[in-house]
Amino acid sequence: SQTIHQWPATLVQPVGSPLSLECTVEGTSNPNLYWYRQAAGRGLQLLFYSVGIGQISSEVPQNLSASRPQDRQFILSSKKLLLSDSGFYLCAWSVGRWNYGYTFGSGTRLTVV
Amino acid sequence: GESVGLHLPTLSVQEGDNSIINCAYSNSASDYFIWYKQESGKGPQFIIDIRSNMDKRQGQRVTVLLNKTVKHLSLQIAATQPGDSAVYFCAENNATDKLIFGTGTRLQVFP
């Protein structure tokens, strides 16, 4: 069965520090991968998506970047965190439009202090 | 731009009653819709989906209704239970690999 792993679950980082969040998928090949951010009490904002290794599409200009070094690995990074980067970060995967949409990871709660 | 929104930010229901959560979408080209449930501190979980060639789809205790004429989507939960308390999101897709999510409705179930 397919599973998605996302870590860490919580993270507190000082302003100006770097960030690296990792997401890996098991049990499927060539998935579409997504990074979302969710502000407290709000909806999901798509940050990046990838349809293959090294292929990254950015949805909004921001202080973050994404990379896909392997088929089932998706990394969200920042060189210098801002206070506004705080939020709940969710990784998701899909293998086609009609297959139940996305499957989400358990999320990372990032607090920038 | 394209958007998916919800009419009610918070819905409170008594345990055992039926719940109805509504969603409006603006992109008439959207042809696939999904409802997600998100519990506090967790990622969203798939509940039920529906394609635009259908008006109604039923699952276990849940029913999704789609009215393409007025671009409206609803999620009905029968015999609401305390475990149904969560935030519910609708999402739409229109021939791309991206889902557009609404802002969410919080469902509160009281005894």
Side-chain angles (χ1 to χ4, degrees):
Chain A
S1 63
Q2 301 93 347
T3 56
I4 180 168
H5 302 281
Q6 194 178 338
W7 67 91
T10 59
L11 191 60
V12 180
Q13 291 285 100
V15 169
S17 64
L19 172 74
S20 181
L21 301 181
E22 188 164 344
C23 171
T24 59
V25 180
E26 295 179 359
T28 187
S29 296
N30 197 31
N32 294 334
L33 297 173
Y34 308 85
W35 277 111
Y36 278 83
R37 178 169 60 200
Q38 186 176 30
R42 304 293 296 274
L44 285 78
Q45 179 188 34
L46 179 62
L47 302 176
F48 301 95
Y49 73 97
S50 172
V51 299
I53 296 175
Q55 301 179 61
I56 308 295
S57 295
S58 175
E59 287 297 295
V60 293
Q62 56 205 320
N63 187 42
L64 302 168
S65 62
S67 62
R68 185 170 177 175
Q70 300 179 43
D71 181 46
R72 288 170 284 180
Q73 184 184 30
F74 205 22
I75 299 172
L76 182 69
S77 304
S78 174
K79 292 182 179 179
K80 289 184 178 181
L81 284 169
L82 305 172
L83 287 174
S84 58
D85 291 325
S86 294
F88 191 47
Y89 288 83
L90 289 156
C91 180
W93 69 271
S94 72
V95 287
R97 291 188 64 210
W98 308 112
N99 297 323
Y100 310 108
Y102 298 173
T103 299
F104 284 88
S106 54
T108 294
R109 175 76 58 192
L110 172 66
T111 303
V112 182
V113 296
Chain B
E2 302 162 1
S3 66
V4 178
L6 299 173
H7 298 308
L8 299 173
T10 303
L11 177 65
S12 296
V13 299
Q14 190 167 23
E15 182 178 355
D17 287 351
N18 297 333
S19 302
I20 299 176
I21 301 172
N22 296 303
C23 176
Y25 64 95
S26 59
N27 187 356
S28 56
S30 293
D31 59 358
Y32 183 46
F33 304 87
I34 305 171
W35 279 101
Y36 287 90
K37 173 186 179 183
Q38 186 178 26
E39 297 176 302
S40 180
K42 298 182 179 180
Q45 292 181 300
F46 171 91
I47 300 174
I48 192 168
D49 60 354
I50 188 168
R51 300 188 188 190
S52 60
N53 61 351
M54 302 174 68
D55 297 322
K56 179 180 179 179
R57 189 155 190 237
Q58 289 183 294
Q60 187 175 15
R61 282 202 308 118
V62 294
T63 301
V64 56
L65 299 177
L66 176 63
N67 186 330
K68 296 179 288 294
T69 301
V70 295
K71 290 183 282 188
H72 183 268
L73 192 69
S74 69
L75 176 70
Q76 300 178 2
I77 304 174
T80 312
Q81 302 170 359
D84 295 326
S85 295
V87 176
Y88 289 81
F89 293 96
C90 63
E92 63 174 325
N93 179 260
N94 59 346
T96 69
D97 291 312
K98 297 182 288 185
L99 285 176
I100 300 170
F101 285 84
T103 54
T105 291
R106 181 173 302 280
L107 176 64
Q108 297 176 326
V109 183
F110 57 93

